[in-house]
Amino acid sequence: MSNQDLSWAVPVMRAGYAGRGVVYLVVAGFSLFALWHGGQAKGTSSALAQLERSTWGGLVLFLIFVGMVAYAIWRSLDATYDLEEYGTDGKGMVARAGMIVTGINHLALGIAAFLLLFTSGSGEGGGGSSSIVKAVDTVMGWPAGRWLVGIAGLATLGAGIYYGIKAVKEKYREHLRANSFTTRWNWVLKAGVLAQGVIVTIIGCFIVYAAWTANPDEAGGVGEAFSWLNGQIYGQVLVAIVCVGLLGFAIFCFVNAAYRVVPKVAGDDVMTLARRAKQKAERKVS
C-alpha cells in the first residue's frame, strides 16, 4: 500500500495517544490529590471509578473510551502494515506482536470506561480483586495456564525494561518531530517514559511471581504497584515521585498525539528529535 493510502491512520493514532494521555492524567492526578490529603495512590480502576462520580466524569470517560478504541485500532494497523518500519526480522516481529498485545490491553481499558458509564457499580476495587488478578485467575484455570501466565509476566517485565532502556537511551526521539517544544521539554518526556517503565516492570514481577507460586492473588496492576512502593523505605516519597513521573508520561502521550512521526506516511525527510540531536553532535565534533 502507498503512503497516501495509509495517511488516514494518522488521525486514528493521534486520537489514541490523546486518550492514553487522559488515562494517565486521571490516574496520576487523582493519586497525587489523594497523597496530598493523606490517602493512598489510585490504581487505574479506582481512578476511573472516582472520575465517574465527578461532575464532568461521564464526558471524560467517553473520551477515554473513544481514545482507547482508537489506540487499539492504531496498534493493530501499525503491526499489520509495519507503519513504523520495525521490519520483519526477529526483533521487528517481536515489537509488532507487542503492539497487538498493547492494543488489546488498552481496548479492555476502554471497555471498562464504557461500562462505568452505564453501570451503577463503583468499580472501586475495594474489597474486590483487580482486573489483572481476575484475568490471571481465569487463565490459570486453563490447560498449561500457569505457563501462559508466566510467559505473559515475562513479556510484561520485558516491556517495562524496554521502557527503561527507551528512556535512558532516548530512543523515543526517533518517532517525535523536532520543534521548540519537544526539544525544550525532552527531559519531561524522558522522566515520563522512565516512570512508566518502573510501573510496568513492577507489574511484570507481580505476574511472574503469581505464576511461580500458582497464586493469582499475587498478581496486580497499577494500584498494587503503588502499594508495594509505599511499603518500601521512604515509600510515600517513592510513590509521589512515580506519580509525578506518570504525569510526565501523560504529557509524553499528548506530545505523541501532536508530534509523533509515522515513517511510512511522513517519509524520510522529516526532522525528528533523534536526527536533530545527531546533527548537533556532528557539528560539535567538526
Side-chain angles (χ1 to χ4, degrees):
M1 297 182 71
S2 67
N3 290 348
Q4 188 174 5
D5 292 332
L6 296 169
S7 61
W8 60 271
V10 176
V12 177
M13 176 270 292
R14 302 205 186 286
Y17 273 104
R20 198 181 187 204
V22 172
V23 171
Y24 281 95
L25 185 63
V26 168
V27 172
F30 277 127
S31 294
L32 287 171
F33 182 82
L35 289 172
W36 182 261
H37 288 84
Q40 299 293 321
K42 303 290 184 181
T44 305
S45 298
S46 297
L48 291 181
Q50 188 169 344
L51 173 66
E52 188 268 340
R53 296 191 294 271
S54 64
T55 304
W56 295 94
L59 175 60
V60 178
L61 282 172
F62 180 74
L63 293 176
I64 288 174
F65 164 69
V66 173
M68 293 300 91
V69 172
Y71 190 79
I73 294 172
W74 153 246
R75 277 314 190 190
S76 297
L77 292 170
D78 194 5
T80 302
Y81 297 111
D82 194 19
L83 297 181
E84 296 181 304
E85 299 182 336
Y86 283 99
T88 56
D89 59 5
K91 184 178 178 180
M93 294 306 293
V94 169
R96 292 165 69 179
M99 293 175 190
I100 298 293
V101 174
T102 302
I104 293 172
N105 290 339
H106 284 78
L107 180 60
L109 183 58
I111 293 172
F114 184 80
L115 291 176
L116 276 172
L117 288 170
F118 298 100
T119 60
S120 58
S122 67
E124 183 74 28
S129 300
S130 72
S131 58
I132 289 182
V133 173
K134 293 175 182 177
V136 168
D137 189 27
T138 299
V139 174
M140 278 193 178
W142 299 351
R146 190 174 170 186
W147 285 99
L148 292 174
V149 170
I151 292 171
L154 289 173
T156 305
L157 182 60
I161 294 172
Y162 171 75
Y163 272 114
I165 295 173
K166 187 177 180 180
V168 173
K169 294 187 175 181
E170 299 184 331
K171 294 180 72 64
Y172 57 85
R173 298 185 302 178
E174 296 172 1
H175 291 111
L176 286 179
R177 191 179 299 272
N179 54 43
S180 58
F181 181 87
T182 55
T183 302
R184 183 180 301 118
W185 296 99
N186 179 59
W187 64 275
V188 174
L189 307 180
K190 184 174 183 176
V193 175
L194 185 59
Q196 172 72 349
V198 170
I199 289 295
V200 173
T201 299
I202 294 173
I203 293 172
C205 289
F206 285 159
I207 298 174
V208 169
Y209 189 67
W212 180 265
T213 60
N215 182 4
D217 291 333
E218 296 293 345
V222 175
E224 288 76 13
F226 282 149
S227 296
W228 182 83
L229 284 171
N230 194 56
Q232 310 307 307
I233 300 175
Y234 302 112
Q236 287 273 15
V237 175
L238 289 175
V239 172
I241 290 173
V242 172
C243 286
V244 171
L246 289 181
L247 279 180
F249 190 72
I251 294 173
F252 173 79
C253 292
F254 291 132
V255 167
N256 273 267
Y259 303 120
R260 190 173 182 88
V261 175
V262 182
K264 277 197 175 179
V265 175
D268 299 325
D269 58 343
V270 176
M271 179 61 69
T272 63
L273 272 177
R275 181 175 293 182
R276 175 174 288 183
K278 183 179 179 181
Q279 290 180 355
K280 187 176 180 180
E282 289 174 347
R283 285 197 298 267
K284 286 184 177 180
V285 172
S286 61

